[in-house]
Amino acid sequence: MDIAKDLATIYRLCAQEFPAGQGYFLVELETGPVPPDGSRERTADDVHAYLQGIAQRLNDRWAEQLPWGQLTVRERMGRGEEIPEPWATLALRTDVLNVWQAEDTGRWIALGVADRDDQDEIQLLAAVTEMDPP
């Protein structure tokens, strides 16, 4: 895990044009493989701690924000409300997001740990979008 590399990825995505027809980027910054025996090499706690290291630097740049719980968004989706991407995917894969709005570009940056399914790899996800959070 390399905080400088992952910050550079986030900053690059903030400046880069979105793919045609898609108003966001959603990337896996870090992934912990699930070994064949089902045990995890990286624990969710390891990835959450790493996220906090990145978050501290983003807080220094764009001001500290309170974490956003995803339960309400999942409940809204369950009632049939359409939640735009990348927020819908993030709500289904993460329990909590750290979210900032980049002052220089107006884009939203979200970080979350995808660890809701014990059978899946633990992933640190980053999203960059112009779509306001739900």
Side-chain angles (χ1 to χ4, degrees), residues 34-41:
V34 178
D37 66 0
S39 65
R40 291 180 168 184
E41 291 179 11

Side-chain angles (χ1 to χ4, degrees), residues 34-94:
V34 178
D37 66 0
S39 65
R40 291 180 168 184
E41 291 179 11
R42 281 191 192 132
T43 68
D45 288 342
D46 293 337
V47 180
H48 280 280
Y50 180 68
L51 178 149
Q52 291 309 311
I54 295 173
Q56 183 57 54
R57 284 146 181 96
L58 295 176
N59 287 341
D60 292 345
R61 181 170 181 167
W62 291 313
E64 185 170 357
Q65 306 296 317
L66 294 175
W68 295 29
Q70 296 299 289
L71 180 59
T72 302
V73 177
R74 286 194 297 272
E75 286 181 6
R76 290 169 51 195
M77 291 170 67
R79 290 192 306 259
E81 185 176 338
E82 188 172 325
I83 303 295
E85 291 295 346
W87 305 109
T89 296
L90 290 168
L92 293 173
R93 300 197 53 209
T94 67

Side-chain angles (χ1 to χ4, degrees), residues 102-122:
E103 297 163 357
D104 50 343
T105 65
R107 291 184 175 186
W108 290 93
I109 297 89
L111 292 178
V113 177
D115 64 347
R116 298 192 71 229
D117 186 339
D118 289 339
Q119 301 306 310
D120 288 341
E121 297 174 320
I122 299 169

